[in-house]
Amino acid sequence: MTAAPGLHLSGTARIGGTAVFGPLSLEAPAAQWTCLLGPSGAGKSTILRLFAGLAEGVALEGRAAASDGAPLAGRVALMAQDDLLMPWLSALDNVTLGTRLRGRAPDREKARTVLSRVGLDGHASKRPAALSGGQRQRVALARTLMEERPVVLLDEPFSALDARTRARMQELSADLLRGRTVLHVTHDPAEAARLGQRVLILTRAGLCAIEPPESAPPRPVDAPETLELQGALHRQLMAAP
């Protein structure tokens, strides 16, 4: 995997002449985990789609780019809220789907190793219907890791999980995505307080940064610094226009 670049977005985004967000300037530092919170409709997912090159119908008056000046195409993996697994494929075949769609022979042994890393030994041949919600999300994480992209975009990937599974997925992702540039959209202040090395809130009024603790993620759920940041984020979101 090549070195992870930082991300920069500046300008105003519009859909059909209606402003989605902006003007704003967003920075996601290289090889760090940036959390982006805000109310629905503020444009958070649109920002991810712009970085992923999937923002069809969105006109950006500005730029979304990598800090090293090289194109982002081919260096970004997107993990969505829905696991988006193909129901007729096994877990292993879902993990290797990207490689096969690009017309290349998948490295099935590597895919088995990645499934093992996310704790799914013995589940490679199962189809999604035979997996729990947490297991399906781990397959989606394994598929993201299989892509070996230095930039990872997360669009609320853990929000549908129960509290215990969500906490475990947060910890697993923080470990396995260490060293990559992660931009994570979430509605959950507790999640941002655990994971964010940079924490941003996007509202109709614009973008603001909230200083996180210096401790490395994932932070303990009940650590005083985690709870203090969680409370600060709640207050900021409640005061948002």
Side-chain angles (χ1 to χ4, degrees):
M1 185 182 69
T2 58
L7 299 175
H8 171 75
L9 184 146
S10 59
T12 300
R14 302 180 185 277
I15 297 178
T18 301
V20 180
F21 64 75
L24 59 77
S25 179
L26 179 150
E27 302 284 343
Q32 291 190 28
W33 194 299
T34 298
C35 287
L36 178 62
L37 299 94
S40 298
K44 303 182 302 298
S45 294
T46 299
I47 288 173
L48 292 190
R49 292 199 300 272
L50 285 165
F51 281 125
L54 300 173
E56 186 176 350
V58 178
L60 177 64
E61 300 167 7
R63 64 193 298 264
S67 60
D68 59 7
L72 277 168
R75 297 196 290 168
V76 174
L78 173 65
M79 184 177 171
Q81 179 175 356
D82 297 324
D83 55 62
L84 302 178
L85 302 183
M86 301 296 105
W88 58 88
L89 297 179
S90 68
L92 185 68
D93 288 337
N94 268 289
V95 170
T96 61
L97 182 60
T99 303
R100 291 185 289 114
L101 287 175
R102 291 190 291 272
R104 290 162 32 202
D107 186 339
R108 296 177 72 81
E109 203 53 47
K110 176 183 173 183
R112 290 183 188 278
T113 299
V114 174
L115 279 171
S116 177
R117 290 183 71 193
V118 301
L120 290 176
D121 273 331
H123 296 277
S125 62
K126 293 182 180 178
R127 294 187 179 181
L131 301 172
S132 69
Q135 289 170 334
R136 290 169 61 105
Q137 287 293 72
R138 279 185 276 168
V139 173
L141 176 59
R143 182 177 57 197
T144 301
L145 292 170
M146 189 71 178
E147 293 293 300
E148 290 193 328
R149 303 299 168 88
V151 175
V152 178
L153 308 174
L154 304 177
D155 196 356
E156 296 189 68
F158 315 134
S159 61
L161 302 178
D162 64 81
R164 183 173 68 171
T165 304
R166 186 186 312 128
R168 289 176 175 173
M169 285 293 295
Q170 290 166 356
E171 291 159 8
L172 181 65
S173 299
D175 179 38
L176 296 179
L177 296 177
R178 203 174 307 278
R180 306 187 194 212
T181 301
V182 178
L183 180 56
H184 178 189
V185 164
T186 177
H187 280 110
D188 185 0
E191 186 164 80
R194 291 200 77 199
L195 296 173
Q197 292 170 286
R198 180 167 170 76
V199 180
L200 305 172
I201 294 181
L202 177 64
T203 68
R204 292 295 183 186
L207 190 71
C208 69
I210 306 295
E211 192 68 28
E214 293 183 0
S215 55
R219 302 180 184 99
V221 176
D222 56 353
E225 60 187 7
T226 308
L227 295 174
E228 183 178 353
L229 176 56
Q230 180 180 335
L233 293 172
H234 266 295
R235 289 190 295 273
Q236 189 80 15
L237 288 167
M238 291 296 291

